[in-house]
């Protein structure tokens, strides 16, 4: 079965750090466009970061310099290291696979999502 | 970044109704437009990709259209399980961006 399972969320103080994990099954993380998308309580969806199969990474301006996306190929797992956390980072964090666009092969729609893990930044 | 604007933000409808949700991009995105359904406490689910292609397993009551800057999601006959929040998303350029959502209520 193709699925993603996140873990690592929790309560952290402002300025603290947290590492999220996303275990994949049914497909290979290193061969796909893997993303983190977050959703603040009662709000919409916000893309956070992507790692390409070749290893290139990109970040939303709101997290650049504080968050780092990576993958552990041997464990077929995606990670998000979050440092210098702020109250506005409070959200459910989803990992999601982006399937390639049919015509140009660039990252396309998010076809597989995990169940999400809650991160709360508060003193 | 490309801004995505959905209308309406909320919509009241009844079982059996035909409903249409609109999504507008701040610049042309060809047909790199995707639609998702999200129910409370659940992850989003891909419904439509490339503006009009139905994701596997999604009922044919859902359809999408449009190109350039203007897109629509249509549900031809609402079922009880269709009451949810719907998001559009552009995959034309990085960063991918989402509309603010349309909450479909009874």
């Amino acid at each position: 079965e193709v699925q993603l399972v996140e873990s690592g969320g929790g309560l952290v103080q402002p300025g603290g750090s947290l590492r999220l994990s996303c275990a994949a099954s049914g497909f290979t993380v290193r061969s796909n466009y893997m993303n983190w998308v977050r959703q603040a309580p009662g709000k919409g969806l916000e893309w956070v970061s992507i790692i390409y199969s070749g290893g290139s990474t990109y970040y939303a301006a709101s997290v650049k310099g504080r968050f780092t996306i990576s993958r552990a190929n041997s464990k077929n797992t995606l990670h998000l290291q979050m440092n210098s956390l702020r109250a506005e980072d409070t959200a459910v964090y989803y990992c999601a696979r982006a399937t390639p666009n049919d015509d140009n092969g660039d990252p396309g729609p998010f076809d597989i999502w995990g169940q999400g893990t809650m991160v709360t930044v508060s003193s | 970044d490309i801004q995505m604007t959905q209308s309406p933000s909320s919509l009241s409808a009844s079982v059996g109704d035909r409903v249409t949700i609109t999504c507008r991009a701040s610049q042309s995105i060809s047909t790199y437009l995707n639609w998702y359904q999200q129910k409370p406490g659940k992850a989003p689910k891909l419904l439509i990709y490339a503006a009009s292609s139905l994701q596997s397993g999604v009922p044919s009551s859902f359809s999408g259209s449009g190109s350039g800057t203007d897109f629509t999601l249509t549900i031809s006959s609402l079922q009880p399980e269709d009451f949810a929040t719907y998001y559009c998303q552009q995959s034309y350029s990085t960063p991918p961006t989402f509309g603010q959502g349309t909450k479909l209520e009874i």
Side-chain angles (χ1 to χ4, degrees):
Chain A
E1 181 186 7
V2 174
Q3 68 173 355
L4 295 166
V5 179
E6 300 97 335
S7 61
L11 175 64
V12 61
Q13 292 187 339
S17 298
L18 210 55
R19 188 192 195 209
L20 306 183
S21 297
C22 171
S25 56
F27 70 98
T28 304
V29 164
R30 69 173 183 267
S31 301
N32 284 273
Y33 298 115
M34 297 301 299
N35 299 260
W36 289 96
V37 177
R38 68 184 180 183
Q39 186 170 37
K43 302 297 185 182
L45 300 165
E46 179 188 19
W47 174 80
V48 172
S49 181
I50 185 172
I51 184 166
Y52 283 36
S53 55
S56 297
T57 59
Y58 298 90
Y59 299 91
S62 58
V63 307
K64 194 171 184 179
R66 301 187 298 123
F67 290 11
T68 302
I69 190 172
S70 64
R71 61 191 181 209
N73 294 338
S74 62
K75 296 185 178 180
N76 207 28
T77 298
L78 180 72
H79 296 292
L80 185 69
Q81 177 67 42
M82 303 186 295
N83 299 331
S84 303
L85 282 161
R86 306 166 180 168
E88 54 264 36
D89 295 318
T90 294
V92 174
Y93 284 73
Y94 297 100
C95 61
R97 183 181 78 174
T99 193
N101 289 323
D102 288 342
D103 52 357
N104 61 16
D106 286 343
F110 301 111
D111 65 335
I112 306 296
W113 296 70
Q115 85 287 354
T117 188
M118 183 70 204
V119 173
T120 302
V121 184
S122 175
S123 55
Chain B
D1 298 359
I2 298 174
Q3 304 297 319
M4 307 300 295
T5 303
Q6 288 180 232
S7 61
S9 296
S10 63
L11 176 59
S12 294
S14 301
V15 172
D17 284 354
R18 177 185 179 92
V19 299
T20 297
I21 299 169
T22 298
C23 179
R24 175 165 287 178
S26 60
Q27 67 180 73
S28 178
I29 58 170
S30 183
T31 57
Y32 294 101
L33 191 283
N34 313 300
W35 290 97
Y36 302 86
Q37 176 193 67
Q38 187 179 33
K39 296 182 179 179
K42 301 294 187 182
K45 172 187 173 182
L46 178 64
L47 300 175
I48 301 284
Y49 64 95
S52 60
S53 295
L54 195 66
Q55 176 69 351
S56 176
V58 174
S60 58
S61 56
F62 290 90
S63 64
S65 66
S67 66
T69 61
D70 294 312
F71 303 86
T72 59
L73 172 70
T74 299
I75 310 172
S76 60
S77 179
L78 276 173
Q79 299 302 303
E81 59 269 25
D82 298 335
F83 291 92
T85 300
Y86 293 84
Y87 294 92
C88 62
Q89 175 244 335
Q90 64 82 15
S91 52
Y92 178 80
S93 66
T94 299
T97 46
F98 294 87
Q100 81 278 14
T102 295
K103 187 173 184 179
L104 182 52
E105 302 173 296
I106 298 174

